[in-house]
Amino acid sequence: MDTNERYDVVVVGGGAAGLSAALVLGRSRRRTLVVDAGEPRNAPAAHMQGYLSQDGMSPADFLAAGRREIAAYGVGLTAGEVTEVVPDGDDAFAVRLADGRTAGARRLVVTTGLVDELPDIAGLRARWGRDVLHCPYCHGWEVRDRDFGVIAHPVTGAHQALIVSQWSADVTLFLHTTAALPEDQRARVAAAGIEVVTGEVAGLVIEDDRLTGVRMADGRTVARSVLFAGTRMVPRDGLLTALGAATRPTPLGPLVTVDETGRTSVPGVWAAGNAIGLAEQVVNAASGGYRAGVAVNTDLLLADLDRAVASAESVPIG
Ligand SMILES: Cc1cc2nc3c(=O)[nH]c(=O)nc-3n(C[C@H](O)[C@H](O)[C@H](O)COP(=O)(O)OP(=O)(O)OC[C@H]3O[C@@H](n4cnc5c(N)ncnc54)[C@H](O)[C@@H]3O)c2cc1C
């Protein structure tokens, strides 16, 4: 990345969404730079499941392949964190990095992902992506028929326990800090044969580098080898909201509003992936990035043609 270089597009974030946007932009002959802070959400997991044709690939190999593909079309990629984006008043943005570098961009695609805030339970973070899991679509097949524990979620209650019962008949729901489940969930939990354990969870029991149990605050231990724990998913959308992007309320907190192409309410700014959609899996994030890339290329093309038309009209005739 050259300081003060001006790009057609700067893509902030080089995960599935960002690399996919960059691929279509590079193939559209757009001068494109990806700035990536290098903390993809699924980094703790050894395998990436459910991406058609790449099921089971390691997340690191997936991103390495994506980087090779964008490089083949001349797209630049630099390690760094974008800390600020400032409209420069000339159909463009100044993009500032934490290390002091800057770049100009006519359009922005923000694909900064989200942060998973884990339940505050001793030892849980160290097992994240291993035997403490959040997503049965990502990991359920690999742990099918084992003894599952599920920590009730402050917002969605027993929902995750109900879903994971598709992968095992042995599911225990720990209410932890959730006082009581809503009536409709109680009936479904009973119908699914899910055992409910009341009381706070104090920690995990780890033996030989494997989860073997859940330790309760009252001293009980419940044997479990797999634990599902929903997180508080916090979109990394600070760059977007600082630009004034409109948000909408959702039960899980405000989310930046985008149209079907990923266009935000800020002219010239698109977004994709977990930054604007908490449920996006890798394949969805890549798809959203692709749609944004196509839309940005069209937007640039039409802007240039409109400018050419306007300047031709302003030339005096005769
Ligand atoms: C443990 C775990 C396992 C998972 N397993 C699967 C699975 O098997 N299959 C599946 O489909 N999904 C899985 N997921 C979900 C998957 O991680 C997401 O769907 C996917 O990462 C979303 O892609 P993204 O491009 O939106 O964000 P990310 O992949 O998180 O990429 C965002 C990138 O932007 C960078 N970034 C953030 N802020 C800035 C900034 N200011 N400047 C520059 N760069 C920035 C980050 O460092 C990161 O590299 C899993 C999630 C977790 C937590």
Side-chain angles (χ1 to χ4, degrees), residues 57-256:
M57 193 180 203
S58 92
D61 287 351
F62 177 75
L63 294 180
R67 290 190 196 120
R68 279 195 300 276
E69 287 173 1
I70 65 166
Y73 299 102
V75 173
L77 182 135
T78 190
E81 183 195 356
V82 174
T83 50
E84 195 180 20
V85 175
V86 184
D88 78 356
D90 181 26
D91 184 33
F93 302 90
V95 179
R96 298 197 178 123
L97 275 65
D99 59 14
R101 290 179 293 166
T102 60
R106 293 185 61 198
R107 299 291 181 272
L108 282 180
V109 182
V110 177
T111 60
T112 40
L114 65 73
V115 175
D116 285 294
E117 287 185 359
L118 274 53
D120 187 15
I121 294 173
L124 191 136
R125 176 167 293 281
R127 309 303 301 177
W128 181 237
R130 301 175 69 192
D131 33 31
V132 175
L133 310 169
H134 75 302
C135 164
Y137 298 99
C138 307
H139 313 285
W141 174 265
E142 285 64 38
V143 295
R144 64 194 180 280
D145 293 330
R146 285 175 48 189
D147 49 342
F148 291 180
V150 181
I151 306 285
H153 189 272
V155 178
T156 60
H159 180 74
Q160 197 178 29
L162 295 171
I163 299 298
V164 302
S165 70
Q166 174 63 17
W167 282 267
S168 173
D170 180 0
V171 179
T172 296
L173 174 67
F174 296 91
L175 288 189
H176 187 43
T177 53
T178 299
L181 299 175
E183 181 54 38
D184 61 328
Q185 284 197 341
R186 279 210 295 274
R188 285 178 171 155
V189 162
I194 295 169
E195 189 174 331
V196 178
V197 173
T198 54
E200 275 198 38
V201 171
L204 306 185
V205 183
I206 308 297
E207 291 169 318
D208 294 333
D209 198 28
R210 286 173 43 224
L211 175 71
T212 58
V214 173
R215 191 164 39 80
M216 307 300 296
D218 63 12
R220 284 175 295 161
T221 294
V222 181
R224 297 285 93 184
S225 71
V226 176
L227 186 64
F228 283 89
T231 64
R232 193 170 93 83
M233 294 176 282
V234 183
R236 284 200 200 96
D237 57 10
L239 295 172
L240 296 168
T241 53
L243 283 165
T247 61
R248 65 186 192 287
T250 80
L252 298 176
L255 279 181
V256 168

